[in-house]
Amino acid sequence: MSSADILTCVDLAIGHGSHVIMDRLNLSLPAGKILAIVGPSGCGKSTLMRALGGLDAPLGGTTTLMGVDLNSAEGVRRQDILRQTGFLFQGSALFSSLTLRENIEMPMREFLKAPRQEIRQLAEYKLALVGLADAMDKLPSEISGGMAKRAGIARAMALDPTVIFLDEPSAGLDPVSSGRLDELILRLRDAFGTTVVLVSHEIPSILRTADFCVYLDPDTGTMGAYGPPKSFLQAGQPPKVHAFFSQAHFD
Amino acid sequence: MSHAPTGLPFARTDVLADGTAVVTIGGAWNLDSALPAIAIKGDRVKVVAEELTDFDSSLPAWLYAHFKNIRQLDLTALPARLQSLVQMAEKATFSDTHAHDTGFLEHFGTWGVESGSSWGRALEHIGHTTLGFLRMLVGRAKVNWADFKLELQTAGVDALPIVALLGFLTGLIMAYVGLIQLRLVGATVYVANLVSLAMTREMGALMTGIIACGRTSTAYASQLGSMNVSQETDALRALGINPIEYLAVPRILAVTLMVPLLAVFATFIGIFGGMVVACAGDLSIEQYLTQAVRAITFKSFLVGLIKSVAFGFIAAWAGCYRGSVAKRSALGVGEAATSAAVLGITFIVISDALFAVIFNLFDL
């Protein structure tokens, strides 16, 4: 762990209620890097992401985000850190009574002092970035699941977050759109130095975008490997990790 | 043209001899700062950076907003990362995005067609409900009888306190108003006739129907609307189960059975409410009850009963119908609940007027 690390966890235990599903999780992520969380279904990928983002309290150990332990931080300090993060949830979690534009404008109105016209301009730009310039005035119920995912990403990017958490961003997208999304994530990182943490099953996408990857092993209840994703394809990795990546990459 | 020193964002426009507008941007651009305004003429624009110290997404957003419709836009003089952020917004095309602008005429036409089709859908739902009942009678419908038993409790027994309160107050108010008028002609004894007849023929059924709309109809619209949102009704269809038979029929049946019972209860409580006012003033209990029993005929009772059956059906149907066509959003569920109450009460009042004409024709 170094001072340049924007996100760390030490001996982290996560789970539901008092039931621990993963423990002894240790990782650190430098700023401006992309971390992918992978593993079999139900192994706790989304739970780990929520704990790293400070949405759920861990069952043990500590996590820090931008140098702050969110579980002990309270009030304005906690609010200030959370304001610098953006979340895309698995089901997109768009506000169903608001149009896509209003969904993106909502956090801007809450936190920015910019005039209405500039907020509108920003929201239109963010939606255009994810290819939804023509669907701004639609309600979430009027768009497809893939479009809702992208609108969710636009909302997560609304306040130019320092760290962005994406839960299965490519789910529901066709391969071409998925490729465009990878490009968007890389450009955001390159342009603004945004740190990205994403949960994904798309191994080719992870190989394209991620700098680091953590594999969660449900059999041992802890991380099976942590490192650059391309290294997982090489010999010398734990057989289970190598098999998971090779099979998925082959598929 | 605007220019601000000390790092504030600025933009200025110069026009070259060949008509190209050169927009110079600079300063520190961030989400909280006030952004400059510029006016662009022509369709050839070159953007250059000068003392551009810092920027976040407010700058590409500003560039995108101002130059997205410019035919010849030259951004090559900008930093590469800024260029890519503007170009990405311009070129972002995903395969499931449909560009479609609707004009006023199309909006108006769509409104007309949708208004017509909503009545069509209502009629279709009534038809399916009727078919559902017929299939239930011949034992071919898959009806959720657990829901039926539960609804007898929630729509019927649980409504007793509110029905009692409103029935009592209705009778009380009628007696009070009636006494004021009848006292003028020395016929206060007929207040018992007024209250008992009105409660039996009209108010018992009407008040109970309206309570059912406010209480049960909205609940059904919310329940079925939420099931629509979470695709539970689709899951039923996928299992080969008709949602109207499975969800709507038991609810409508339960309410159609319970509202007449509640209406009879409301009628007696209303007559009692009238008695409290009448006996507090001019009449004795014996006088009031004798007059009330004389006034209520079997025909009056039957009229009230028929109406309450119809009102119960309308209240439950309105809730099930609006719930089944609710939009798949939190807003849609709220709209469904509101429109169920409005639709139910409107139909109850309209049908009450129709009943008045029909019963008059048949001398009931």
Side-chain angles (χ1 to χ4, degrees):
Chain A
M1 187 174 110
S2 75
S3 58
D5 292 334
I6 197 163
L7 190 151
T8 64
C9 67
V10 180
D11 286 333
L12 182 70
I14 53 167
H16 302 296
S18 59
H19 174 62
V20 175
I21 52 176
M22 282 280 154
D23 61 5
R24 292 162 288 147
L25 301 170
N26 292 284
L27 58 88
S28 54
L29 184 68
K33 298 291 181 190
I34 299 174
L35 167 71
I37 304 170
V38 297
S41 298
C43 68
K45 298 184 292 294
S46 299
T47 313
L48 172 59
M49 198 182 78
R50 291 175 66 89
L52 293 175
L55 290 186
D56 290 339
L59 300 179
T62 56
T63 61
T64 62
L65 188 60
M66 293 171 236
V68 175
D69 180 354
L70 281 177
N71 298 299
S72 56
E74 283 179 1
V76 179
R77 190 165 164 74
R78 181 182 166 81
Q79 190 73 25
D80 188 46
I81 295 295
L82 288 177
R83 183 202 177 288
Q84 295 176 59
T85 64
F87 260 92
L88 166 72
F89 295 94
Q90 228 170 36
S92 304
L94 296 171
F95 301 111
S96 59
S97 56
L98 304 180
T99 63
L100 300 192
R101 187 209 309 269
E102 290 164 343
N103 261 283
I104 317 303
E105 285 178 355
M106 199 271 264
M108 296 176 181
R109 291 212 174 123
E110 291 297 321
F111 291 107
L112 300 183
K113 294 172 199 140
R116 200 180 181 83
Q117 178 57 32
E118 281 172 27
I119 283 180
R120 195 180 175 88
Q121 188 171 292
L122 268 168
E124 286 179 5
Y125 169 69
K126 305 272 165 157
L127 282 166
L129 273 182
V130 294
L132 291 172
D134 297 319
M136 290 183 197
D137 296 317
K138 287 187 185 297
L139 288 167
S141 57
E142 297 169 335
I143 59 173
S144 71
M147 290 165 82
K149 273 276 178 195
R150 277 152 41 208
I153 292 170
R155 190 179 64 185
M157 299 186 317
L159 298 171
D160 283 1
T162 310
V163 185
I164 188 164
F165 295 90
L166 307 173
D167 199 348
E168 301 202 22
S170 314
L173 298 186
D174 61 82
V176 177
S177 299
S178 176
R180 295 272 320 163
L181 197 61
D182 291 345
E183 195 190 337
L184 173 68
I185 291 169
L186 286 170
R187 287 210 194 182
L188 278 178
R189 192 272 302 272
D190 295 341
F192 299 125
T194 312
T195 306
V196 181
V197 178
L198 58 93
V199 168
S200 182
H201 286 290
E202 311 279 334
I203 301 300
S205 163
I206 290 168
L207 290 169
R208 272 198 301 271
T209 55
D211 300 300
F212 294 95
C213 185
V214 56
Y215 174 84
L216 300 183
D217 184 351
D219 296 331
T220 59
T222 187
M223 35 200 274
Y226 180 54
K230 286 194 176 76
S231 70
F232 289 9
L233 287 166
Q234 293 161 3
Q237 286 293 331
K240 206 182 293 177
V241 178
H242 184 70
F244 185 87
F245 262 72
S246 304
Q247 183 64 44
H249 186 46
F250 177 74
D251 287 345
Chain B
M1 184 179 94
S2 64
H3 186 291
T6 63
L8 286 175
F10 69 86
R12 66 165 182 270
T13 311
D14 302 299
V15 182
L16 300 181
D18 65 352
T20 304
V22 178
V23 177
T24 308
I25 54 170
W29 296 61
N30 67 66
L31 292 172
D32 275 326
S33 59
L35 303 182
I38 54 162
I40 303 287
K41 282 181 185 168
D43 55 4
R44 271 184 297 169
V45 176
K46 180 179 173 70
V47 187
V48 296
E50 179 187 290
E51 295 167 16
L52 181 62
T53 51
D54 189 25
F55 69 87
D56 56 19
S57 67
S58 60
L59 177 53
W62 184 87
L63 291 169
Y64 175 73
H66 284 84
F67 305 126
K68 63 184 169 192
N69 295 323
I70 300 292
R71 272 200 300 167
Q72 289 180 40
L73 179 64
D74 182 359
L75 299 175
T76 50
L78 294 178
R81 68 183 183 116
L82 180 55
Q83 276 182 55
S84 80
L85 284 168
V86 179
Q87 284 159 355
M88 250 197 115
E90 285 173 341
K91 292 176 185 167
T93 46
F94 286 72
S95 44
D96 56 353
T97 305
H98 313 286
H100 179 61
D101 291 327
T102 51
F104 169 75
L105 271 179
E106 191 173 343
H107 271 300
F108 186 72
T110 308
W111 173 80
V113 170
E114 280 178 358
S115 301
S117 69
S118 78
W119 284 104
R121 280 204 304 269
L123 286 173
E124 194 182 334
H125 195 271
I126 290 174
H128 281 301
T129 307
T130 311
L131 274 177
F133 271 103
L134 292 175
R135 281 168 59 83
M136 181 196 73
L137 289 175
V138 295
R140 290 178 59 194
K142 289 189 194 315
V143 178
N144 186 355
W145 291 111
D147 268 8
F148 173 71
K149 289 176 200 161
L150 185 71
E151 293 309 327
L152 286 179
Q153 167 77 28
T154 53
V157 182
D158 292 353
L160 279 172
I162 186 72
V163 168
L165 177 70
L166 295 187
F168 178 80
L169 292 175
T170 307
L172 190 138
I173 293 162
M174 278 196 298
Y176 182 71
V177 175
L179 272 177
I180 292 171
Q181 291 302 310
L182 292 170
R183 205 174 277 141
L184 297 175
V185 290
T188 50
V189 73
Y190 290 107
V191 75
N193 300 54
L194 172 75
V195 173
S196 54
L197 201 61
M199 285 306 298
T200 311
R201 284 186 71 100
E202 195 64 53
M203 296 309 288
L206 190 65
M207 290 304 293
T208 313
I210 288 171
I211 292 168
C213 281
R215 205 178 160 274
T216 312
S217 196
T218 50
Y220 289 173
S222 305
Q223 284 169 18
L224 271 62
S226 302
M227 291 176 84
N228 238 1
V229 172
S230 55
Q231 296 183 308
E232 289 172 57
T233 45
D234 290 343
L236 283 174
R237 274 191 206 98
L239 291 167
I241 298 169
N242 182 340
I244 292 179
E245 287 175 7
Y246 193 76
L247 301 170
V249 165
R251 284 171 170 76
I252 295 173
L253 185 64
V255 179
T256 309
L257 288 175
M258 292 314 288
V259 165
L261 297 178
L262 289 170
V264 171
F265 175 69
T267 301
F268 283 113
I269 292 284
I271 292 170
F272 173 70
M275 190 177 79
V276 170
V277 171
C279 297
D282 310 30
L283 273 72
S284 68
I285 294 175
E286 290 79 10
Q287 275 178 312
Y288 182 89
L289 289 177
T290 309
Q291 284 298 115
V293 169
R294 275 191 198 151
I296 303 170
T297 61
F298 177 71
K299 275 201 284 190
S300 306
F301 188 76
L302 193 65
V303 164
L305 204 62
I306 292 170
K307 281 183 179 177
S308 61
V309 170
F311 294 168
F313 179 87
I314 289 169
W317 170 81
C320 292
Y321 164 60
R322 294 309 308 180
S324 69
V325 297
K327 287 180 193 159
R328 292 185 169 178
S329 64
L331 185 70
V333 175
E335 280 174 355
T338 308
S339 63
V342 173
L343 184 73
I345 292 170
T346 309
F347 274 23
I348 281 176
V349 175
I350 291 172
S351 62
D352 199 21
L354 286 174
F355 276 129
V357 175
I358 293 166
F359 291 146
N360 191 39
L361 284 176
F362 289 94
D363 198 26
L364 276 170

Short mmCIF file of all heavy atoms in Angstrom, two decimals, chain B residues 4 20 97 104 134 197 202 204 232 244 248 278 307:
data_model
loop_
_atom_site.label_atom_id
_atom_site.label_comp_id
_atom_site.label_asym_id
_atom_site.label_seq_id
_atom_site.Cartn_x
_atom_site.Cartn_y
_atom_site.Cartn_z
N ALA B 4 -11.81 36.84 -19.19
CA ALA B 4 -11.61 37.09 -17.77
C ALA B 4 -10.25 36.59 -17.37
O ALA B 4 -9.86 35.50 -17.72
CB ALA B 4 -12.68 36.39 -16.97
N THR B 20 -14.04 32.12 -41.55
CA THR B 20 -13.91 31.13 -40.47
C THR B 20 -13.93 31.84 -39.11
O THR B 20 -13.22 32.82 -38.90
CB THR B 20 -12.59 30.34 -40.62
OG1 THR B 20 -12.55 29.76 -41.92
CG2 THR B 20 -12.48 29.26 -39.56
N THR B 97 -30.06 2.66 -29.99
CA THR B 97 -30.61 4.02 -29.86
C THR B 97 -31.37 4.37 -31.13
O THR B 97 -30.87 4.19 -32.23
CB THR B 97 -29.48 5.03 -29.67
OG1 THR B 97 -28.71 4.61 -28.55
CG2 THR B 97 -30.02 6.42 -29.42
N PHE B 104 -45.86 18.33 -33.34
CA PHE B 104 -47.14 18.58 -32.66
C PHE B 104 -48.25 17.69 -33.20
O PHE B 104 -49.02 17.09 -32.45
CB PHE B 104 -47.51 20.06 -32.83
CG PHE B 104 -48.92 20.35 -32.40
CD1 PHE B 104 -49.24 20.41 -31.05
CD2 PHE B 104 -49.93 20.55 -33.34
CE1 PHE B 104 -50.53 20.65 -30.65
CE2 PHE B 104 -51.22 20.80 -32.93
CZ PHE B 104 -51.53 20.86 -31.59
N LEU B 134 -66.93 -16.69 -16.32
CA LEU B 134 -67.61 -17.83 -16.94
C LEU B 134 -66.75 -19.09 -16.84
O LEU B 134 -67.24 -20.17 -16.52
CB LEU B 134 -67.93 -17.52 -18.41
CG LEU B 134 -68.99 -16.44 -18.64
CD1 LEU B 134 -69.14 -16.12 -20.12
CD2 LEU B 134 -70.34 -16.86 -18.04
N LEU B 197 -85.53 5.51 4.18
CA LEU B 197 -85.71 5.28 2.74
C LEU B 197 -84.44 5.67 1.97
O LEU B 197 -83.98 4.91 1.09
CB LEU B 197 -86.89 6.10 2.23
CG LEU B 197 -87.51 5.62 0.93
CD1 LEU B 197 -88.07 4.21 1.08
CD2 LEU B 197 -88.63 6.57 0.50
N GLU B 202 -80.51 4.38 -1.43
CA GLU B 202 -79.46 5.16 -2.08
C GLU B 202 -78.16 5.23 -1.31
O GLU B 202 -77.12 4.71 -1.76
CB GLU B 202 -79.99 6.59 -2.28
CG GLU B 202 -79.20 7.43 -3.24
CD GLU B 202 -79.23 6.90 -4.66
OE1 GLU B 202 -80.35 6.67 -5.19
OE2 GLU B 202 -78.15 6.68 -5.20
N GLY B 204 -76.80 4.07 1.50
CA GLY B 204 -76.05 2.91 2.03
C GLY B 204 -75.14 2.34 0.96
O GLY B 204 -73.93 2.15 1.17
N GLU B 232 -44.18 -9.65 -12.69
CA GLU B 232 -44.82 -10.85 -12.13
C GLU B 232 -45.98 -11.30 -13.02
O GLU B 232 -46.24 -12.49 -13.16
CB GLU B 232 -45.32 -10.57 -10.72
CG GLU B 232 -44.20 -10.44 -9.71
CD GLU B 232 -44.69 -9.97 -8.35
OE1 GLU B 232 -45.56 -10.62 -7.77
OE2 GLU B 232 -44.18 -8.93 -7.87
N ILE B 244 -55.71 -12.18 -15.44
CA ILE B 244 -57.05 -11.68 -15.07
C ILE B 244 -57.79 -12.75 -14.26
O ILE B 244 -58.39 -12.45 -13.23
CB ILE B 244 -57.83 -11.27 -16.33
CG1 ILE B 244 -57.18 -10.03 -16.95
CG2 ILE B 244 -59.30 -11.00 -16.00
CD1 ILE B 244 -57.83 -9.53 -18.21
N ALA B 248 -57.40 -10.96 -10.93
CA ALA B 248 -58.54 -10.04 -10.91
C ALA B 248 -59.82 -10.73 -10.46
O ALA B 248 -60.57 -10.18 -9.64
CB ALA B 248 -58.72 -9.41 -12.29
N ALA B 278 -82.94 12.47 15.68
CA ALA B 278 -84.40 12.64 15.77
C ALA B 278 -84.88 12.53 17.21
O ALA B 278 -85.73 13.31 17.66
CB ALA B 278 -85.08 11.59 14.89
N LYS B 307 -77.99 -2.26 -6.42
CA LYS B 307 -77.00 -1.19 -6.64
C LYS B 307 -75.66 -1.55 -5.99
O LYS B 307 -74.60 -1.36 -6.58
CB LYS B 307 -77.51 0.12 -6.02
CG LYS B 307 -78.52 0.85 -6.86
CD LYS B 307 -78.86 2.15 -6.15
CE LYS B 307 -79.87 2.95 -6.96
NZ LYS B 307 -80.26 4.17 -6.26
#
